[in-house]
Amino acid sequence: HVQLVESGGGSVQAGGSLRLSCAASGDSHERYCMAWFRQAPGTERERVADIDRGGITTYSESVKGRFTISRDNAKNTLFLRMDRLTPVDTAMYYCAAAPRYWYRCFDPVTEFDYCGKGTQVTVS
């Protein structure tokens, strides 16, 4: 079982930056896929970035070039650096883990079994 706790959200002006963190406990997260999702009211959940066992990352087109996902295996922590934020990025951001998958995290069949409660990001 994996517990995930996000932090780092808040309110920021357009053009600003934030860094989200996700502390993982209950199991080492260095061996499997992890991702950040987001969801705004009235919209579907969107996977914005993922990272695999080897550190390979993928991004949605909406954030590519502005967001950076990374992980600190020693601290069991996942990060999402968000730059050049716009009001469209306003959403609840969730950290997710897929312990049964190590590679090709971007594949739609990857099932993220665990998810945190989220951290709100508001861009005005």
Side-chain angles (χ1 to χ4, degrees):
H1 188 69
V2 178
Q3 296 85 41
L4 303 169
V5 179
E6 303 94 337
S7 61
S11 297
V12 63
Q13 291 187 338
S17 299
L18 283 174
R19 189 177 81 153
L20 306 183
S21 299
C22 172
S25 60
D27 191 9
S28 171
H29 81 314
E30 65 179 301
R31 296 172 295 168
Y32 48 77
C33 293
M34 296 196 74
W36 287 96
F37 290 80
R38 69 183 181 186
Q39 188 168 22
T43 69
E44 293 187 356
R45 190 179 70 164
E46 175 190 15
R47 188 194 313 186
V48 296
D50 56 59
I51 185 167
D52 77 1
R53 176 188 178 102
I56 302 299
T57 58
T58 58
Y59 300 90
S60 67
E61 287 300 319
S62 61
V63 307
K64 192 175 294 184
R66 300 187 299 121
F67 289 14
T68 304
I69 188 172
S70 62
R71 66 202 301 171
D72 183 334
N73 293 330
K75 297 182 179 180
N76 277 0
T77 304
L78 182 73
F79 301 100
L80 184 68
R81 171 74 181 188
M82 305 184 295
D83 295 314
R84 303 197 305 277
L85 287 161
T86 75
V88 175
D89 297 314
T90 295
M92 185 71 79
Y93 284 72
Y94 301 91
C95 168
R100 293 179 290 124
Y101 299 84
W102 292 358
Y103 300 105
R104 297 182 58 83
C105 308
F106 55 85
D107 195 311
V109 302
T110 301
E111 296 180 357
F112 290 86
D113 297 325
Y114 301 98
C115 186
K117 294 184 178 180
T119 185
Q120 177 68 37
V121 171
T122 302
V123 185
S124 60

